[in-house]
C-alpha cells in the first residue's frame, strides 16, 4: 500500500463512482479499478459493495475511509512542513557565542536574519570559545562563533573578523600617553584576564611566555565590560579586542596598540564537517558569509 492507493480509494469513496474518480484523477477507469482491487487483496477485505454502477462503502471500507483521511492529511502536513523547511520559512538554529561577541555586535546580525526569515527560531548560548567548540563537537549546538584557531580536522569554518588585542589602562597609568607598547614591557603589570575557558586566556598567556615572563593575573572574569570597569577603577591592566575597545569611555580608560608581538583576535563561524545541517542552519551560514562585517 502506498499513498496512491489511499488517494484513489478516497476519491472513489467520495464520488461513489470508479468512472468519476478516474476522470477526477486523470487516469483510466481500468487503472483505478485494478488499484482498488489490489488494495482489497492486500488487506484481505472488501472496501466497496458493487451493485452494477452503484457502489457503497462496506463497514471495513468506512473504517478505512476515516483512517485514510487522517493518513493523507498527515502526509500533506508533512509535505508542507518539509517545503517550509527547504524554503527556510521555518526551522530552529542552535548557535554558540562567546559573551564579548554576542553582546558586542551579533544582535544586529541576528536581527537582519530575522527580517529575512521571521519564522526561524534561535537558541543562543553564551560560552567561551573552548566550551562552544566542545558543544558543537558533541552535537548540542549546530553552529558556533569562536576565536581562531580551531580544530580544522573536525570543523568547517570561515573568518568574519580579523583584529588585534589592544592594551587597556587607566588614564593615570604610565603608558597612557604612549602610541604603542611592546608586550615585554608588561611583565611587571597586574593583569585582569578572561577566565580559563576563554581562548584569549591561553592566547595572552602564551604570548607572554614567549617573551620570557609569566603574566601576573590578579583577577579573572568572563565579562569584557567587567574587565574594563576594573581597569577604570585602576586595579590593573586589561587586553581587549579592537572592536570592543571602540565602545569604551575614552575618559575612563586609554586604549593602546600592543606590538612586538601583536596578539591577533580572529573570529570565525564553525560547524562540524560530518554532521547534517538543517536548511535554516545553512541559511544562517550563508547570511553570515555575505554579511558586511566591516561596517557592523
Amino acid at each position: 500500500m502506498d499513498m496512491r492507493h489511499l488517494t484513489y480509494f478516497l476519491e472513489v469513496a467520495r464520488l461513489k463512482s470508479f468512472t468519476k474518480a478516474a476522470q477526477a484523477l486523470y487516469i483510466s477507469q481500468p487503472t483505478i479499478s485494478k488499484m482498488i482491487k489490489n488494495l482489497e487483496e492486500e488487506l484481505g477485505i472488501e472496501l466497496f459493495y458493487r451493485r452494477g454502477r452503484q457502489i457503497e462503502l462496506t463497514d471495513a471500507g468506512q473504517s478505512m475511509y476515516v483512517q485514510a483521511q487522517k493518513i493523507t492529511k498527515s502526509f500533506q502536513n508533512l509535505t508542507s512542513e518539509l517545503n517550509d523547511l527547504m524554503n527556510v520559512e521555518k526551522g530552529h538554529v542552535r548557535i554558540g557565542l562567546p559573551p564579548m561577541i554576542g553582546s558586542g555586535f551579533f544582535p544586529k546580525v541576528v536581527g537582519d536574519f530575522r527580517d529575512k526569515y521571521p519564522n526561524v527560531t534561535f537558541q543562543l548560548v553564551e560560552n567561551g570559545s573552548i566550551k562552544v567548540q566542545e558543544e558543537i563537537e558533541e552535537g548540542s549546538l549546530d553552529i558556533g562563533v569562536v576565536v581562531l584557531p580551531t580544530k580544522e580536522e573536525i570543523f568547517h569554518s570561515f573568518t568574519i573578523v580579523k583584529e588585534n588585542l589592544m592594551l587597556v589602562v587607566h588614564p593615570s597609568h604610565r603608558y597612557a600617553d604612549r602610541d604603542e607598547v611592546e608586550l615585554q614591557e608588561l611583565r611587571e603589570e597586574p593583569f585582569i584576564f578572561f577566565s580559563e575557558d576563554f581562548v584569549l586566556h591561553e592566547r595572552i598567556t602564551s604570548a607572554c611566555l614567549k617573551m620570557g615572563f609569566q603574566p601576573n593575573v590578579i583577577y579573572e572574569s568572563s565579562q569584557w565590560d567587567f574587565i574594563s570597569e576594573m581597569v577604570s577603577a585602576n586595579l590593573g591592566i586589561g587586553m581587549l579586542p579592537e572592536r570592543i575597545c571602540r565602545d569604551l569611555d575614552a575618559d575612563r580608560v586609554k586604549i593602546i596598540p600592543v606590538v612586538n608581538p601583536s596578539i591577533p583576535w580572529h573570529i570565525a563561524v564553525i560547524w562540524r564537517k560530518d554532521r547534517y545541517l538543517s536548511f535554516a542552519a545553512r541559511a544562517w551560514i550563508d547570511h553570515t558569509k555575505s554579511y558586511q562585517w566591516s561596517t557592523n
Side-chain angles (χ1 to χ4, degrees):
M1 186 195 318
D2 58 28
M3 290 305 301
R4 285 186 307 155
H5 285 94
L6 296 182
T7 301
Y8 292 173
F9 165 74
L10 287 172
E11 199 65 9
V12 172
R14 183 178 71 86
L15 296 173
K16 297 182 178 180
S17 168
F18 285 93
T19 301
K20 292 179 180 178
Q23 292 172 346
L25 294 167
Y26 299 100
I27 59 174
S28 68
Q29 182 174 330
T31 297
I32 198 169
S33 296
K34 183 178 180 180
M35 190 73 75
I36 297 300
K37 185 66 175 176
N38 290 342
L39 182 59
E40 290 179 320
E41 289 177 354
E42 181 180 345
L43 296 173
I45 58 175
E46 286 191 38
L47 297 172
F48 296 99
Y49 290 117
R50 295 166 177 83
R51 298 176 182 174
R53 295 184 178 181
Q54 298 293 318
I55 62 171
E56 297 287 343
L57 286 169
T58 63
D59 290 345
Q62 289 285 358
S63 296
M64 182 74 175
Y65 184 75
V66 172
Q67 296 303 320
Q69 284 183 309
K70 293 179 181 178
I71 292 169
T72 55
K73 182 64 175 177
S74 295
F75 182 78
Q76 290 167 359
N77 289 341
L78 174 60
T79 302
S80 297
E81 186 81 8
L82 291 174
N83 286 335
D84 285 346
L85 288 172
M86 292 180 68
N87 293 320
V88 204
E89 293 176 7
K90 291 184 180 179
H92 184 71
V93 187
R94 303 168 300 173
I95 303 173
L97 298 171
M100 76 174 71
I101 298 172
S103 60
F105 51 90
F106 240 82
K108 188 175 189 314
V109 184
V110 174
D112 289 346
F113 183 84
R114 289 277 291 165
D115 288 342
K116 293 172 65 176
Y117 307 109
N119 294 321
V120 173
T121 58
F122 288 92
Q123 176 189 356
L124 298 177
V125 178
E126 283 198 310
N127 270 316
S129 288
I130 295 173
K131 183 65 174 176
V132 168
Q133 291 187 64
E134 290 174 354
E135 291 177 337
I136 296 174
E137 193 168 350
E138 70 186 21
S140 58
L141 292 176
D142 302 310
I143 302 168
V145 182
V146 301
V147 179
L148 290 175
T150 188
K151 300 176 182 178
E152 295 182 1
E153 70 279 10
I154 295 176
F155 302 115
H156 287 299
S157 68
F158 62 90
T159 304
I160 57 177
V161 175
K162 287 187 175 182
E163 295 181 348
N164 291 322
L165 295 184
M166 306 289 282
L167 177 64
V168 184
V169 301
H170 188 269
S172 66
H173 194 278
R174 56 185 172 139
Y175 296 150
D177 294 327
R178 294 271 294 272
D179 293 328
E180 60 185 29
V181 173
E182 294 192 6
L183 184 60
Q184 64 179 352
E185 296 182 88
L186 304 177
R187 65 175 60 244
E188 304 297 331
E189 298 292 331
F191 277 88
I192 302 167
F193 254 38
F194 283 100
S195 304
E196 290 187 0
D197 58 340
F198 285 75
V199 170
L200 290 184
H201 181 102
E202 186 276 332
R203 184 71 50 76
I204 299 170
T205 299
S206 294
C208 292
L209 290 174
K210 287 180 180 179
M211 298 307 296
F213 70 96
Q214 176 76 39
N216 175 27
V217 181
I218 59 171
Y219 295 107
E220 292 185 0
S221 175
S222 62
Q223 303 295 325
W224 66 263
D225 51 350
F226 182 75
I227 292 175
S228 67
E229 286 297 320
M230 295 282 280
V231 173
S232 69
N234 205 17
L235 296 174
I237 65 169
M239 297 186 75
L240 295 172
E242 292 177 50
R243 191 163 300 232
I244 299 299
C245 290
R246 295 172 199 162
D247 296 328
L248 301 182
D249 187 343
D251 293 329
R252 302 183 65 206
V253 295
K254 296 300 179 182
I255 311 301
I256 309 156
V258 177
V259 297
N260 295 329
S262 59
I263 303 176
W265 188 69
H266 295 175
I267 302 301
V269 175
I270 67 169
W271 64 99
R272 278 203 67 142
K273 291 182 175 181
D274 60 353
R275 182 165 292 130
Y276 170 80
L277 280 180
S278 69
F279 293 102
R282 294 180 210 174
W284 169 262
I285 289 171
D286 290 340
H287 174 72
T288 53
K289 277 184 178 179
S290 63
Y291 200 78
Q292 300 298 313
W293 292 95
S294 61
T295 60
N296 184 35

